[in-house]
């Protein structure tokens, strides 16, 4: 055997040993910086939050280990349970509105008509704006005396509304802003689903005499269900942790009528300086988000379709 063949055999054996033993040593210089960043940005903050959640610490006072006291306090905190209900209500409305309107917009923009691309671009502009700018503009629009929304309502004979200044209407008003901003995202997701649908089922349905509603109900809707679930997952996770628009527009008011868990957590930790209790709230909120994500992913897995199912 020639020397070249011997060297090639040695190189092959070395690569095989490297694969069987894991990463080669010379890869570690590239891996370690990423591990350090992950530990510094993700692992350490959560370990520190967990530690603080079992301590009693108000800023400016001595820190003391309190065990499960912060979590037991959450169980009897009516303001926490109210904020949880506000979060659930806000999330449900902020998902249903964009889901319905985004699907309707996708069906409209999927059709062929003049200036379709231009109008699509106009339609997606709201989700490109910064949340604080959106909050400031909509706050002016919601003004009971000077806002443009009440002026428009007056043109059709409807009296002025209090919008975000009334405890009963503040959450629906905030959801209106959320729907305006994120309906385009659902539209883009559903448009991608519509573009991926097979044409054969529709041709068969037309031969059988199906009308537009029947084709949508029995063909389009079941086949775009996976894409709708993607939209539901993204919107649910985003809405349940919404903070910027709510805080910029109402700070959780009037009173505590729009105080979600995020707002209550922020006020507890950074307005009342109760760091330990705020940390416990953050841990519970994280568990809620993980549980919600797990449930949504399980539902998403049940909505898959294949070409064989549509024939």
């Amino acid at each position: 055997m020639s020397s070249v063949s011997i060297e090639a055999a040695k190189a092959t054996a070395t690569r095989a040993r490297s694969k069987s033993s894991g990463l080669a040593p010379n890869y570690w210089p590239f891996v370690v910086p990423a591990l350090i960043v992950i530990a510094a940005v993700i692992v350490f903050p959560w370990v520190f939050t967990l530690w603080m959640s079992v301590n009693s610490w108000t800023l400016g006072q001595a820190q003391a280990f309190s065990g499960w006291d912060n979590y037991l306090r959450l169980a009897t905190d009516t303001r926490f349970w109210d904020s949880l209900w506000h979060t659930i209500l806000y999330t449900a409305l902020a998902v249903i509105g964009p889901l319905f309107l985004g699907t309707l917009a996708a069906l409209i923009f999927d059709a062929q008509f003049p200036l379709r691309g231009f109008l699509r671009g106009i339609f997606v502009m709201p989700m490109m704006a910064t949340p604080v700018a959106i909050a400031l503009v909509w706050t002016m629009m919601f003004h009971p005396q000077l806002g443009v929304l009440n002026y428009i309502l007056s043109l059709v004979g409807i009296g002025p509304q209090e919008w975000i200044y009334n405890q009963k209407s503040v959450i629906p008003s905030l959801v209106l802003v959320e729907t305006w901003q994120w309906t385009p995202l659902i539209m883009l997701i559903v448009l991608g689903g519509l573009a991926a649908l097979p044409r054969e089922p529709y041709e068969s349905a037309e031969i059988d005499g199906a009308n537009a509603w029947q084709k949508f109900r029995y063909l389009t809707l079941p086949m775009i269900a996976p894409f709708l679930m993607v939209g539901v997952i993204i919107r649910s996770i985003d809405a349940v942790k919404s903070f910027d628009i709510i805080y910029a527009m109402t700070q959780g008011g009037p009173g505590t009528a729009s105080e979600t868990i995020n707002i209550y957590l922020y006020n507890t930790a950074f307005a009342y300086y109760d760091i330990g209790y705020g940390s416990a709230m953050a841990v519970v909120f994280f568990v809620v988000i993980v549980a919600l994500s797990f449930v949504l992913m399980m539902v998403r897995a049940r909505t898959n379709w294949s070409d064989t199912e549509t024939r």
Side-chain angles (χ1 to χ4, degrees), residues 45-60:
W46 268 112
V47 171
F48 184 73
T49 301
L50 287 171
W51 168 248
M52 290 309 306
S53 69
V54 294
N55 283 268
S56 176
W57 182 33
T58 301
L59 207 62

Side-chain angles (χ1 to χ4, degrees), residues 12-293:
T12 302
T14 301
R15 287 195 297 269
R17 287 194 299 270
S18 298
K19 290 180 179 179
S20 63
S21 62
L23 292 175
N26 60 334
Y27 289 170
W28 281 104
F30 301 96
V31 175
V32 170
L35 294 177
I36 294 175
V37 171
I38 291 174
V41 175
I42 299 177
V43 178
F44 172 75
W46 268 112
V47 171
F48 184 73
T49 301
L50 287 171
W51 168 248
M52 290 309 306
S53 69
V54 294
N55 283 268
S56 176
W57 182 33
T58 301
L59 207 62
Q61 299 180 8
Q63 178 182 338
F65 181 78
S66 60
W68 297 101
D69 289 353
N70 287 324
Y71 294 97
L72 295 175
R73 179 181 166 190
L74 279 175
T76 58
D77 186 352
T78 56
R79 186 171 174 180
F80 169 75
W81 291 107
D82 287 343
S83 68
L84 178 61
W85 164 244
H86 296 155
T87 303
I88 294 172
L89 178 62
Y90 180 88
T91 301
L93 295 177
V95 171
I96 293 173
L99 187 68
F100 174 77
L101 295 177
T103 302
L104 179 61
L107 293 172
I108 294 173
F109 284 114
D110 188 55
Q112 297 291 335
F113 57 86
L115 299 178
R116 182 180 66 164
F118 173 76
L119 294 176
R120 280 183 181 179
I122 297 296
F123 194 82
V124 301
M125 288 180 64
M127 70 178 188
M128 300 179 185
T130 58
V132 175
I134 291 173
L136 293 175
V137 171
W138 277 90
T139 299
M140 292 186 289
M141 293 172 63
F142 281 141
H143 195 279
Q145 285 79 40
L146 305 177
V148 67
L149 292 181
N150 277 342
Y151 172 74
I152 294 174
L153 291 180
S154 67
L155 298 179
V156 294
I158 300 177
Q161 305 297 313
E162 294 181 329
W163 303 106
I164 59 174
Y165 303 96
N166 185 285
Q167 292 186 351
K168 294 182 179 180
S169 61
V170 60
I171 289 183
S173 300
L174 292 171
V175 169
L176 176 62
V177 181
E178 191 89 0
T179 301
W180 174 82
Q181 184 180 16
W182 294 113
T183 292
L185 175 64
I186 302 298
M187 183 205 71
L188 293 176
I189 294 173
V190 177
L191 270 179
L194 292 173
L197 297 184
R199 301 306 308 169
E200 292 81 1
Y202 293 92
E203 295 171 356
S204 301
E206 290 173 359
I207 294 174
D208 293 337
N211 56 35
W213 167 250
Q214 290 172 329
K215 286 188 288 186
F216 172 77
R217 170 64 181 84
Y218 297 105
L219 293 176
T220 303
L221 189 58
M223 288 192 292
I224 64 172
F227 301 93
L228 293 176
M229 277 308 305
V230 170
V232 169
I233 292 171
I234 294 174
R235 284 299 307 130
S236 298
I237 296 175
D238 185 60
V240 79
K241 58 186 181 66
S242 180
F243 174 82
D244 36 24
I245 286 182
I246 299 176
Y247 190 80
M249 294 184 70
T250 67
Q251 293 82 46
T256 59
S258 63
E259 188 176 65
T260 60
I261 294 181
N262 264 329
I263 303 297
Y264 186 32
L265 190 159
Y266 176 85
N267 288 334
T268 299
F270 301 108
Y272 312 140
Y273 303 113
D274 194 344
I275 307 299
Y277 190 50
S279 299
M281 203 178 305
V283 172
V284 172
F285 189 38
F286 175 75
V287 172
V288 170
I289 293 177
V290 170
L292 175 63
S293 303

